[in-house]
Amino acid sequence: MRVLATAQEMQEASRIWRRQGETVGLVPTMGFLHEGHLSLIRRCRKLTARTVVSIFVNPTQFGPTEDYETYPRDTGRDCDLCRREGVDVVYLPTTASMYADDHSTWVEESSVSKGLCGRSRPGHFRGVTTVVTKLFNAVLPDLAVFGQKDAQQTAVIRRMVRDLNFPVDIHVLPTVREADGLAMSSRNVHLSAADRRRALCIHGGLERARVLVKEGIRETDQINAAVRDALAAESVHVDYIEVVDPNSLKPLACLDRPALLAVAAWVGDVRLIDNCILQPEG
Ligand code: AMP
């Protein structure tokens, strides 16, 4: 396994593979890898001849008061895990190599990125679409693998790839959870033991919503209220709870089609997101 630090080295490696007729897959991450990331890496290895994992905590997707400085990092352990998974290249750019002092070009999606996390994290998705574009241009992948855990991110990336004709297939894999249901996240390491227990109410709320839908509830106000109650019972501070169309991310008043139930909440100092698909039958 090679560790490459510049876009030029990465492009050269990828061009050689492509000349040999080998397909290239990219798994973009911010590191501090867990089983969720590993599930993406394993799928990528099945789909392509070559697998690149990028590890980059992207400063431009963090707001000025957010956790860029304290975001968990352990590059040595991440590289060991990637080696064990049979990754071909870890692309590990430095911040200075990614963003010149006078960097002035941005990629911005202007619809799907505006609600949900985009509302409470202005500029976040502009950072995401810009860095994913840069990663695509460095790795030159045939496909890239993302997690449904970040449902809005996948919707924004799909839209960007369609609108800007990126020749990259987007694959999205289900959320990997801890045994008790908590969605795996690098940020979980910052939860105290008590907050870790309280955080379970997010998954509990999603499960409650699924039961209500099974029982025939179709008004999204009722579903939102039930999830809100589940979070309030643990004094978890809600950022948003919304039932939206999975592609446009526009809010739905009535569950007349499969919908995305998306939640963001603060558990102590840690902002967590989770989601599920609600499937009305009949
Ligand atoms: P991150 O390192 O958190 O930016 O995530 C990198 C990629 O891993 C993104 O595509 C995420 O959606 C995905 N991911 C993060 N957590 C999970 C999880 N629990 N299950 C599946 N994929 C995940």
Side-chain angles (χ1 to χ4, degrees):
M1 186 184 85
R2 290 206 290 160
V3 179
L4 302 179
T6 68
Q8 199 183 343
E9 289 171 299
M10 188 63 248
Q11 286 160 346
E12 275 167 23
S14 192
R15 286 208 180 97
I16 290 170
W17 290 333
R18 296 176 74 108
R19 270 202 295 277
Q20 294 166 350
E22 294 176 323
T23 52
V24 180
L26 169 64
V27 181
T29 82
M30 297 207 297
F32 212 73
L33 303 182
H34 50 65
E35 281 295 323
H37 298 115
L38 300 187
S39 75
L40 309 187
I41 293 170
R42 287 170 194 151
R43 175 64 64 88
C44 191
R45 285 205 64 219
K46 288 213 173 85
L47 293 169
T48 52
R50 298 291 181 174
T51 293
V52 177
V53 175
S54 63
I55 300 177
F56 181 62
V57 184
N58 174 36
T60 66
Q61 69 188 68
F62 289 80
T65 61
E66 294 182 352
D67 59 347
Y68 173 68
E69 297 295 341
T70 57
Y71 193 85
R73 293 162 168 91
D74 190 344
T75 307
R77 179 178 163 275
D78 289 344
C79 286
D80 287 345
L81 285 169
C82 287
R83 199 171 289 113
R84 234 176 287 158
E85 292 294 332
V87 168
D88 295 280
V89 165
V90 169
Y91 177 42
L92 191 69
T94 61
T95 306
S97 80
M98 283 295 260
Y99 294 107
D101 288 342
D102 56 352
H103 177 97
S104 56
T105 308
W106 300 96
V107 179
E108 185 158 12
E109 192 286 330
S110 59
S111 172
V112 183
S113 65
K114 294 305 166 191
L116 304 176
C117 289
R119 198 170 298 123
S120 38
R121 304 185 69 187
H124 168 67
F125 286 110
R126 184 181 84 149
V128 170
T129 43
T130 300
V131 81
V132 170
T133 297
K134 289 172 68 66
L135 293 171
F136 284 179
N137 284 335
V139 178
L140 308 172
D142 296 284
L143 65 84
V145 189
F146 293 86
Q148 175 66 16
K149 160 84 170 24
D150 298 84
Q152 187 173 17
Q153 174 171 277
T154 64
V156 171
I157 297 294
R158 280 188 197 282
R159 180 65 64 93
M160 174 186 89
V161 162
R162 187 202 71 181
D163 287 352
L164 300 184
N165 305 107
F166 280 96
V168 181
D169 279 340
I170 303 301
H171 291 247
V172 177
L173 295 198
T175 301
V176 175
R177 298 178 180 281
E178 303 285 357
D180 58 11
L182 181 69
M184 287 193 185
S185 162
S186 304
R187 288 189 170 98
N188 290 351
V189 73
H190 288 316
L191 293 169
S192 68
D195 285 345
R196 167 74 181 68
R197 277 192 297 275
R198 293 167 60 225
L200 284 179
C201 69
I202 300 174
H203 180 243
L206 297 177
E207 288 299 297
R208 176 79 193 123
R210 284 228 270 241
V211 170
L212 291 178
V213 172
K214 221 179 194 149
E215 289 172 358
I217 303 291
R218 295 290 178 266
E219 291 76 28
T220 59
D221 279 352
Q222 269 179 275
I223 295 166
N224 291 338
V227 180
R228 200 166 287 277
D229 287 348
L231 271 61
E234 295 294 341
S235 309
V236 163
H237 176 75
V238 173
D239 179 353
Y240 63 75
I241 298 168
E242 280 191 56
V243 178
V244 298
D245 176 274
N247 297 312
S248 71
L249 305 189
K250 299 263 188 283
L252 297 175
C254 175
L255 262 187
D256 51 6
R257 67 194 106 147
L260 176 76
L261 168 56
V263 175
W266 287 93
V267 185
D269 294 339
V270 184
R271 184 176 180 278
L272 298 178
I273 57 172
D274 203 344
N275 67 81
C276 69
I277 297 290
L278 299 175
Q279 299 271 11
E281 285 151 27

